């Protein structure tokens, strides 16, 4: 979550998304100081700040055991997708 003390951080997040995931994901990027408001199956975060502990889905704690790298996060998500009934079109 961007900090209000550093206004440039509001641009840093969308730029990271564009550089690492692609420009098509920038428009669906949502920033909030209260992550419990988000609805979804997973949230990837490197802290417990911003009320992420009250997120209703699974918190993937980036940088901690089992999720030290993006490759491990992606492998987990792919495995989870294969085990679910969700079908990609």
């Amino acid at each position: 979550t961007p900090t209000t003390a550093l206004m440039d951080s509001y641009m840093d997040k969308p730029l990271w998304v564009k550089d690492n995931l692609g420009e098509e994901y920038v428009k669906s990027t949502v920033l909030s100081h209260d992550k419990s408001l988000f609805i979804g199956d997973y949230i990837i975060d490197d802290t417990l700040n911003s009320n992420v502990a009250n997120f209703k889905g699974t918190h993937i704690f980036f940088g901690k055991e089992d999720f030290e790298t993006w490759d491990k996060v992606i492998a987990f998500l792919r495995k989870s997708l294969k085990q679910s009934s969700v079908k990609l079109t």
Side-chain angles (χ1 to χ4, degrees):
T1 303
T3 174
T4 55
L6 300 170
M7 296 308 286
D8 286 348
S9 66
Y10 280 90
M11 281 305 302
D12 292 344
K13 299 289 183 175
L15 288 173
W16 185 95
V17 170
K18 179 182 175 187
D19 292 346
N20 292 278
L21 303 176
E23 189 160 352
E24 64 272 20
Y25 293 99
V26 174
K27 288 183 180 179
S28 61
T29 300
V30 179
L31 305 175
S32 174
H33 286 289
D34 186 352
K35 294 179 182 173
S36 70
L37 298 173
F38 293 135
I39 298 172
D41 295 319
Y42 301 98
I43 191 164
I44 303 168
D45 205 305
D46 61 351
T47 72
L48 291 174
N49 297 338
S50 303
N51 211 14
V52 75
N54 291 316
F55 173 73
K56 301 288 188 241
T58 300
H59 175 204
I60 296 174
F61 205 138
F62 185 75
K64 297 293 183 184
E65 187 176 344
D66 296 328
F67 302 114
E68 300 92 348
T69 67
W70 282 108
D71 288 338
K72 288 185 177 186
V73 171
I74 292 167
F76 170 81
L77 291 171
R78 285 186 176 147
K79 182 178 178 184
S80 296
L81 184 61
K82 285 181 184 178
Q83 293 173 352
S84 76
S85 60
V86 174
K87 302 289 185 224
L88 294 179
T89 55

